[in-house]
Amino acid sequence: MQTQSSRCSIDRQAHGRVLEFAAFSWPQPGDAMVGWPSVAGAVRRDALNRAILLHFAPGRVLAPDPSAATEALLDAAAAQGVGSGIDVTGKWEHYIIAGPDAARLLACAIEPGAVLENRECAAVTLFDCPAVIARTHAGFELWLQSSYSADFLATAERFRAALQRT
């Protein structure tokens, strides 16, 4: 789905498989997590600047569209007993919110500048909808829990309409 105004767009992104990794304890000692974003709020990106590992909460990592190398990293950590990888395909929907009013729209629920001040990503609640947020070159990337997606879009559209009137 794409909803758009001249000042803000909300574009649903196609994606494939999505994995989450939950560490049994955090932080991990030694080199068990080499190659991972080390602190909660960090993001590991690929050569095209796409988020490949979003460390959205302590010991919780989202891996959208994992490459073979990313899956091997998750599998190796699970094999070492660090935590558990879970296929959560279908749990999350991916959106890009972009344009001059993107931050203003999100500020109806959170202050994205403050939330992401010392982080690259974070677990948040937007209009009562669980999400993971990260900055992109165009605005913000959201991973919304699928069961909340329709409610999020309806609420965001109401707020965006109100913003256009001001």
Side-chain angles (χ1 to χ4, degrees), residues 8 11 25 28 32 35 39 48 51 55-57 64 67 95-96 113-114 124 126 131 149:
C8 180
D11 299 311
S25 65
Q28 286 293 314
V39 296
L48 298 174
H55 191 164
F56 63 92
S67 66
Y95 292 89
I96 301 292
V124 296
L126 297 169
S149 186

Side-chain angles (χ1 to χ4, degrees), residues 17 19 44 46 50 52 63-74:
R17 194 164 177 228
L19 304 175
R44 181 173 168 201
D46 66 11
R50 292 180 299 217
I52 58 172
D65 294 318
S67 66
T70 299
E71 285 196 51
L73 192 67
L74 299 173

Side-chain angles (χ1 to χ4, degrees), residues 91-95 126 129-131 142-146 149 152:
K91 176 181 176 181
W92 299 98
E93 288 188 17
H94 185 201
Y95 292 89
L126 297 169
C129 304
L142 297 179
W143 288 89
L144 290 167
Q145 286 193 13
S146 297
S149 186
F152 170 82

Side-chain angles (χ1 to χ4, degrees), residues 71-88:
E71 285 196 51
L73 192 67
L74 299 173
D75 290 344
Q80 291 177 42
V82 171
S84 180
I86 306 152
D87 189 323
V88 293

